Amino acid sequence: MEALLARMTLEEKLGQLNQPRGLPSVTDAGPPEDREEQIRAGRIGSFLGIRGAAATKRLQRIAVEESRLGIPLLFADDVIHGFRTIFPVPLAEAASFDVAAVESSARVAAVEATAHGVHWTFAPMVDIARDPRWGRIVEGSGEDPYLGSLLAAARVRGFQGSDLGADDTLLATAKHFVAYGAAEGGRDYNTAEVSERTLREIYLPPFHAAVKAGVQAVMAAFDEIAGVPMHANRELVRGVLRREFGFDGIVISDHTGVRELIAHGVAADPQAAGVLALRAGIDIDMVSGIYLHDLPAALRAGQVSQTDIDDAVRRVLRAKYRVGLFNDPYRYCDPTREQTRTLTPQHRKAARDMARKSLVLLKNDGNVLPLSKQLRTIAVIGPLADDQRSMLGSWNGAGRAEDVVTPLAGVRAAVAAGTRVLYAKGTSVSGADSSGFDEAQAVAREADAVLLCIGEQSDMSGEARSRSSLDIPGMQEALARTLLAGGKPLAVILFTGRPLSITWLAEKAPSILLAWFPGVEAGHALADVIFGTESPAGRLPVTFPRTVGQVPIYYNHKNTGRPPQPDDNQDRQKPDKNTSRYLDLPPTPLYPFGHGLSYTTFHYADLRLNAQQIPQGGRLQVQVDVTNTGARASDEVVQLYVHENAASVTPPVKQLRRFQRIRLRPGERRTVAFDLGSDDLAFYGLELRPIVEPGKFRVLAGGSSVSLIEATFEVVPG
Ligand code: GLC
């Protein structure tokens, strides 16, 4: 590589740091002459958003055979939750609490994307999100850094595999570095006001986990922290990410993130923006074109060093070596693989399995679900019942709406031959249209049971899709009221990319199944659970607030000096109720982190520890007995939390530290064992370094963050 670097001109070096957008039409109209001329002149090192064996081969051939040095191009794309076989959105995958299934999902995405010429995905998105107003909460793993870290590493493993040189593995990117999800007001791209402590305890851990899993790239975030935009944040990029975490891969800007330093107000012009970004440690300039056009003048003016440029180029060239492009630049350009590895039955089966696992049964009074397949008539109603496009969620890669099995189609495919399935849209997702209510009521009157498919459309979450309200949009709740008045057994199937404030629905609807956006196999996965082929066992990776006014509300909060009491807010007259609460709401969320029901019940007992005391560096074995006390087999997500009673820094009221998704037959009792070590008990002390302090701890086990049994132990010095 050094020999190659030594032969490169400045323009060729800056070309490796330049990543323009590909053109969707590149497969037919082809990029304008200048794209191809730029490739020949060595002014492009990678492309964003070009797919297809033929399209990538055509451009790759120009780079390899018509440029002076023949350096191959990297082709990058947003392959977030599937390439063509679209899996449930990442927040839904997190609800499965199934690390292996999440890794498999990324593996399938890598197999398909690489078959279409893609070498590099801008995933996993590992931003912790505590504010459901933020549209990109859909793209991450929710509010918990422990779950988020495990899934970040799992997705990196899934995408990158064990051999980056294989033809079905690609470069992964942990994004968006860092605290992008802490945007004030939940407004995308907004300022993140977080302390270093919160950074280290909440937002950095998933990036550290991704780095330890070997992630090859990190993408800078659009936000600023404490007055320094992330694209100019030398302390966090070169300091924490590279020096402290030991990350030696590519740091890429986000889309025009370098140029946006001007809008942030820290750069007067493009050249100043390029200087700040390169100095901060941003290696590749995505789409701005500033590195290519403005760094030569900056170098001549001594504002950047040749070393800064060369180091960045080395990291780009090393990535190309690692994926094997210097050995065989066309290895990912095989049209045969496009045909044989895309949307296969195996991939669809994996997507259906993940979708089933991600469904969260929020309530099920009277066991409305599961429905019998032998019912005479079932009504499937609502604007999302037959909406193929929305089932794909946001960031749906090369996914196509026509691939999707809708809820309506899934129900129709599942019922017995003699069962009628009636459909009415009822209303639109948004707007004030109630003209379809009568038809919906008429359909419901004919039915023995109603499945009401409501919620958000997929374009109401995702990038630049923040909402100031968490209510179900449009007239959908009014439709629910109308249908509930009809008195038929009714289950709401809720589609959304974020927690919604469904307090009225939670009170009045007997059954609510949270489906998120379940991907191409939505209908079949839903039918599997609706008709009881599979018991739901998804659990919430993010808290559901009662209203947007409660936000931010999350499970691992601090206790404060005046913690609210559960019966607070019931009687405002009591003078001793000066606690941290609202006058007009209970202090608890609508549905807590880790919540989810199944078609059976589970009993937790006999939480036992192998020691009452352990030394600071010691380990603790924890066991708990879990029994399926119902009549149906089901998975259960056994959750383990820890809490330190008193420490030199205020401890969260609890923190998830282990979980296991297990399967139990009716009546089956199983001892579930966990092993805790000092990492699990450590926190950032007053000096902001991880420490384990002696003190009393509680271990809590159960099926959610609130229904727990507990035991205590002590960490003693030594
Ligand atoms: C977008 C997103 C980022 C994505 C990139 C390329 O602005 O912030 O997640 O990978 O641009 O599409």
Side-chain angles (χ1 to χ4, degrees), residues 30 108 135 152 207 213 250 290 332 481 583 652 718:
V108 168
F207 286 93
I250 294 173
I290 287 176
Y332 296 86
R481 288 172 201 269
L583 285 177

PDB file of all heavy atoms in Angstrom, residues 30 108 135 152 207 213 250 290 332 481 583 652 718:
ATOM      1  N   GLY A  30     -27.103   6.067 -17.071  1.00  0.00           N
ATOM      2  CA  GLY A  30     -25.672   6.169 -16.788  1.00  0.00           C
ATOM      3  C   GLY A  30     -25.347   7.553 -16.233  1.00  0.00           C
ATOM      4  O   GLY A  30     -26.053   8.516 -16.517  1.00  0.00           O
ATOM      5  N   VAL A 108     -28.302 -11.984   6.124  1.00  0.00           N
ATOM      6  CA  VAL A 108     -29.110 -12.080   4.898  1.00  0.00           C
ATOM      7  C   VAL A 108     -28.978 -10.793   4.088  1.00  0.00           C
ATOM      8  O   VAL A 108     -28.786 -10.830   2.867  1.00  0.00           O
ATOM      9  CB  VAL A 108     -30.595 -12.346   5.243  1.00  0.00           C
ATOM     10  CG1 VAL A 108     -31.486 -12.149   4.025  1.00  0.00           C
ATOM     11  CG2 VAL A 108     -30.771 -13.759   5.813  1.00  0.00           C
ATOM     12  N   GLY A 135     -37.710  11.019  14.725  1.00  0.00           N
ATOM     13  CA  GLY A 135     -38.138  10.060  13.706  1.00  0.00           C
ATOM     14  C   GLY A 135     -37.202   8.884  13.558  1.00  0.00           C
ATOM     15  O   GLY A 135     -37.611   7.774  13.206  1.00  0.00           O
ATOM     16  N   ALA A 152     -25.643  -3.918  18.346  1.00  0.00           N
ATOM     17  CA  ALA A 152     -24.655  -3.270  17.478  1.00  0.00           C
ATOM     18  C   ALA A 152     -23.598  -4.294  17.067  1.00  0.00           C
ATOM     19  O   ALA A 152     -23.298  -4.461  15.876  1.00  0.00           O
ATOM     20  CB  ALA A 152     -24.003  -2.100  18.202  1.00  0.00           C
ATOM     21  N   PHE A 207     -21.201   2.229  20.346  1.00  0.00           N
ATOM     22  CA  PHE A 207     -20.094   2.441  19.398  1.00  0.00           C
ATOM     23  C   PHE A 207     -18.865   1.643  19.853  1.00  0.00           C
ATOM     24  O   PHE A 207     -18.175   1.026  19.044  1.00  0.00           O
ATOM     25  CB  PHE A 207     -19.754   3.936  19.301  1.00  0.00           C
ATOM     26  CG  PHE A 207     -20.767   4.719  18.522  1.00  0.00           C
ATOM     27  CD1 PHE A 207     -21.813   5.350  19.162  1.00  0.00           C
ATOM     28  CD2 PHE A 207     -20.702   4.773  17.138  1.00  0.00           C
ATOM     29  CE1 PHE A 207     -22.780   6.037  18.445  1.00  0.00           C
ATOM     30  CE2 PHE A 207     -21.665   5.467  16.397  1.00  0.00           C
ATOM     31  CZ  PHE A 207     -22.704   6.101  17.060  1.00  0.00           C
ATOM     32  N   ALA A 213     -16.318  -5.283  18.106  1.00  0.00           N
ATOM     33  CA  ALA A 213     -16.766  -6.344  17.188  1.00  0.00           C
ATOM     34  C   ALA A 213     -16.065  -6.233  15.835  1.00  0.00           C
ATOM     35  O   ALA A 213     -16.325  -7.032  14.937  1.00  0.00           O
ATOM     36  CB  ALA A 213     -18.285  -6.267  16.998  1.00  0.00           C
ATOM     37  N   ILE A 250     -12.312   3.512   8.850  1.00  0.00           N
ATOM     38  CA  ILE A 250     -12.667   4.758   8.162  1.00  0.00           C
ATOM     39  C   ILE A 250     -13.687   5.530   8.993  1.00  0.00           C
ATOM     40  O   ILE A 250     -14.646   4.955   9.489  1.00  0.00           O
ATOM     41  CB  ILE A 250     -13.294   4.442   6.787  1.00  0.00           C
ATOM     42  CG1 ILE A 250     -12.280   3.792   5.853  1.00  0.00           C
ATOM     43  CG2 ILE A 250     -13.877   5.690   6.155  1.00  0.00           C
ATOM     44  CD1 ILE A 250     -12.879   3.308   4.537  1.00  0.00           C
ATOM     45  N   ILE A 290     -16.032  18.931  -0.899  1.00  0.00           N
ATOM     46  CA  ILE A 290     -15.097  19.940  -0.384  1.00  0.00           C
ATOM     47  C   ILE A 290     -13.678  19.406  -0.299  1.00  0.00           C
ATOM     48  O   ILE A 290     -12.710  20.090  -0.641  1.00  0.00           O
ATOM     49  CB  ILE A 290     -15.580  20.436   0.996  1.00  0.00           C
ATOM     50  CG1 ILE A 290     -16.801  21.346   0.813  1.00  0.00           C
ATOM     51  CG2 ILE A 290     -14.480  21.151   1.762  1.00  0.00           C
ATOM     52  CD1 ILE A 290     -17.433  21.825   2.093  1.00  0.00           C
ATOM     53  N   TYR A 332     -17.564  -8.760  -6.905  1.00  0.00           N
ATOM     54  CA  TYR A 332     -18.942  -8.528  -6.433  1.00  0.00           C
ATOM     55  C   TYR A 332     -19.871  -8.210  -7.601  1.00  0.00           C
ATOM     56  O   TYR A 332     -21.002  -7.764  -7.391  1.00  0.00           O
ATOM     57  CB  TYR A 332     -18.956  -7.363  -5.439  1.00  0.00           C
ATOM     58  CG  TYR A 332     -18.188  -7.623  -4.166  1.00  0.00           C
ATOM     59  CD1 TYR A 332     -16.817  -7.381  -4.097  1.00  0.00           C
ATOM     60  CD2 TYR A 332     -18.806  -8.145  -3.036  1.00  0.00           C
ATOM     61  CE1 TYR A 332     -16.094  -7.633  -2.951  1.00  0.00           C
ATOM     62  CE2 TYR A 332     -18.093  -8.394  -1.870  1.00  0.00           C
ATOM     63  CZ  TYR A 332     -16.739  -8.136  -1.838  1.00  0.00           C
ATOM     64  OH  TYR A 332     -16.024  -8.383  -0.685  1.00  0.00           O
ATOM     65  N   ARG A 481     -63.069   4.010  18.000  1.00  0.00           N
ATOM     66  CA  ARG A 481     -64.217   4.221  18.907  1.00  0.00           C
ATOM     67  C   ARG A 481     -65.492   3.694  18.277  1.00  0.00           C
ATOM     68  O   ARG A 481     -66.277   2.992  18.914  1.00  0.00           O
ATOM     69  CB  ARG A 481     -64.387   5.719  19.183  1.00  0.00           C
ATOM     70  CG  ARG A 481     -63.356   6.354  20.059  1.00  0.00           C
ATOM     71  CD  ARG A 481     -63.550   7.877  20.064  1.00  0.00           C
ATOM     72  NE  ARG A 481     -62.349   8.551  20.475  1.00  0.00           N
ATOM     73  CZ  ARG A 481     -62.071   8.878  21.746  1.00  0.00           C
ATOM     74  NH1 ARG A 481     -62.936   8.572  22.684  1.00  0.00           N
ATOM     75  NH2 ARG A 481     -60.942   9.486  22.060  1.00  0.00           N
ATOM     76  N   LEU A 583     -48.975  16.971  37.964  1.00  0.00           N
ATOM     77  CA  LEU A 583     -50.270  17.039  38.656  1.00  0.00           C
ATOM     78  C   LEU A 583     -51.324  16.226  37.905  1.00  0.00           C
ATOM     79  O   LEU A 583     -52.257  15.710  38.484  1.00  0.00           O
ATOM     80  CB  LEU A 583     -50.731  18.503  38.736  1.00  0.00           C
ATOM     81  CG  LEU A 583     -50.004  19.372  39.754  1.00  0.00           C
ATOM     82  CD1 LEU A 583     -50.521  20.802  39.669  1.00  0.00           C
ATOM     83  CD2 LEU A 583     -50.184  18.816  41.170  1.00  0.00           C
ATOM     84  N   PRO A 652     -28.730   4.832  38.374  1.00  0.00           N
ATOM     85  CA  PRO A 652     -30.063   4.664  37.800  1.00  0.00           C
ATOM     86  C   PRO A 652     -30.859   3.696  38.677  1.00  0.00           C
ATOM     87  O   PRO A 652     -30.272   2.873  39.395  1.00  0.00           O
ATOM     88  CB  PRO A 652     -29.798   4.057  36.426  1.00  0.00           C
ATOM     89  CG  PRO A 652     -28.374   4.356  36.134  1.00  0.00           C
ATOM     90  CD  PRO A 652     -27.685   4.397  37.448  1.00  0.00           C
ATOM     91  N   GLY A 718     -11.548  -5.163  47.625  1.00  0.00           N
ATOM     92  CA  GLY A 718     -10.577  -6.234  47.354  1.00  0.00           C
ATOM     93  C   GLY A 718     -10.864  -6.951  46.059  1.00  0.00           C
ATOM     94  O   GLY A 718     -11.741  -6.618  45.326  1.00  0.00           O
TER      95      GLY A 718
END
